[in-house]
Amino acid sequence: MWVSADGPLLLSIRDAAKALGISYSTLYQMTNQGDIEWVAIGNRKFISREILMDFIKANTHKGYYVAR
């Protein structure tokens, strides 16, 4: 799944995980730990396209990188 500019403003955790290429459980855990911002609607969590793009930019590294 690709996060297009003309798609929905909010993605479900499942769709956002697919867009990032990670598992649902990993992304869900990241929301619980505060690693990525999310929006609550009812009892569901959503992530905006803007937040996904910001997350990718903030976690993109060049050259040698030691993971935390």
Side-chain angles (χ1 to χ4, degrees), residues 35 54-61 65 68:
D35 294 332
D54 290 346
F55 176 80
I56 291 167
K57 286 178 186 175
N59 290 284
T60 298
H61 305 279
Y65 173 72
R68 38 181 173 135

Side-chain angles (χ1 to χ4, degrees), residues 1-52:
M1 176 178 182
W2 175 252
V3 182
S4 67
D6 60 348
L9 293 176
L10 297 174
L11 298 169
S12 67
I13 298 295
R14 190 165 310 281
D15 288 342
K18 286 179 189 175
L20 291 173
I22 62 176
S23 72
Y24 167 85
S25 59
T26 296
L27 186 55
Y28 193 83
Q29 181 179 5
M30 290 171 66
T31 62
N32 286 339
Q33 293 173 340
D35 294 332
I36 191 165
E37 295 178 28
W38 52 278
V39 175
I41 299 178
N43 62 353
R44 294 187 62 198
K45 290 182 179 181
F46 294 89
I47 301 176
S48 72
R49 288 181 290 138
E50 182 180 358
I51 292 298
L52 283 180

